[in-house]
Amino acid sequence: MDKKNIDWENLGFGYIPTDKRYVANFKDGKWDEGALIDDPNIVMNECAGVLQYAQTIFEGLKAYTTEDGHIVTFRPDLNGQRMEDSARRLEMPVFPADRFVEAVEQTVRANAAYVPPFGSGATLYVRPYMFGINPVIGVKPADEYQFRVFTTPVGPYFKGGVKPLTLCVSDFDRAAPNGTGHIKAGLNYAMSLHAIVTAHANGYDENMYLDSATRTKVEETGGANFIFVTKDQKVVTPHSNTILPSITRRSLLYVAEHYLGLEVEERDVYLDEVKDFAECGLCGTAAVISPVGKIVDHGKEICLPSGMEKMGPTIQKLYDTLTGIQMGRIEAPKGWIKVIV
Ligand SMILES: Cc1ncc(COP(=O)(O)O)c(C=O)c1O
């Protein structure tokens, strides 16, 4: 298979249509068998449920080329399960996780020419999503839905090297207690746009959201979970039912414990104790881990000892081990790597 003529190293994170996308329709109470199609455009009624009441959920994962030349994805079953959870919370029909994995596999295989070569640092980003498509004017769940998967090649995350981020403690809330913070619904991201635009305008890279009930505990950013390292090398992550259960964070905790022999703690993390940590990172599919160098809480600066030049040593080890597992240099736990080609 010939690769597309793309300057892989200089790709950004943008949308480039690829040859095929997957679509399945839910109608009369059931999903059809689904198919790969060519047209990247969707025509829908002006009153479609997604347009009026934002009934839409999504997932994000990557396909990439391993050192030995296979095209693989990382734990897509967990994305499928998370999408099932998201669907239930928004009263949408569940697209079963096994069909989800199959749809991702078909779409990646059909777009294999767009999967960047090993060593480029670039990947094929995979975006499964689902939305209510029939006309809905009274506030209620749609009756008809579309599940789709498209792919788009994206560039290396750390172009020009790793740069630790500066965060601000946000005055905005991301998720309400008993709300939708734990699912991947478009609505969580629509309401975060004002907060991120404000943070950027004030010179920060990202927001640190606190729990909205007490505003004392660390939750997450708009697109990643937190991971902290204590001065005695314990790996600590916030436990909260209003954050998205990051697949990267869950994988890193496993790696910390079973590959690196570190103690791990999932617990309440108070803003007051952040000044005592040795390292901080943001974890998610996009970067695996981005180091955080500084957190600004209303003018008060918390400078992580790992500094503004590089990743801290433990976060670096976690990063190297997980990316080693993903790329096939380090043996993966059973079921983590799904070989597609
Ligand atoms: C709000 C939020 N938290 C965390 C994550 C990281 O999750 P994952 O590691 O599954 O990509 C994401 C990205 O998907 C996100 O949007």
Side-chain angles (χ1 to χ4, degrees), residues 160-178:
V162 173
K163 277 198 198 66
L165 306 175
T166 301
L167 314 189
C168 67
V169 176
S170 183
D171 286 326
F172 297 102
D173 290 324
R174 179 185 169 273
N178 307 309

Side-chain angles (χ1 to χ4, degrees), residues 58-60 79 82 174 184 189 220-225 244-249 283-286:
F58 67 102
E59 274 300 325
N79 294 94
R82 195 166 64 186
R174 179 185 169 273
K184 211 161 165 66
Y189 298 83
E220 61 175 329
T221 69
N225 283 180
L244 191 78
S246 156
I247 293 160
T248 315
R249 189 244 307 159
C283 50
T285 295

Side-chain angles (χ1 to χ4, degrees), residues 10 47 111 133 162 203 302 333:
N10 290 310
C47 197
N111 294 300
I133 197 166
V162 173
I302 303 168

Side-chain angles (χ1 to χ4, degrees), residues 23-34:
V23 57
N25 287 291
F26 183 87
K27 204 173 173 176
D28 301 327
K30 56 179 189 309
W31 288 106
D32 68 13
E33 64 197 21

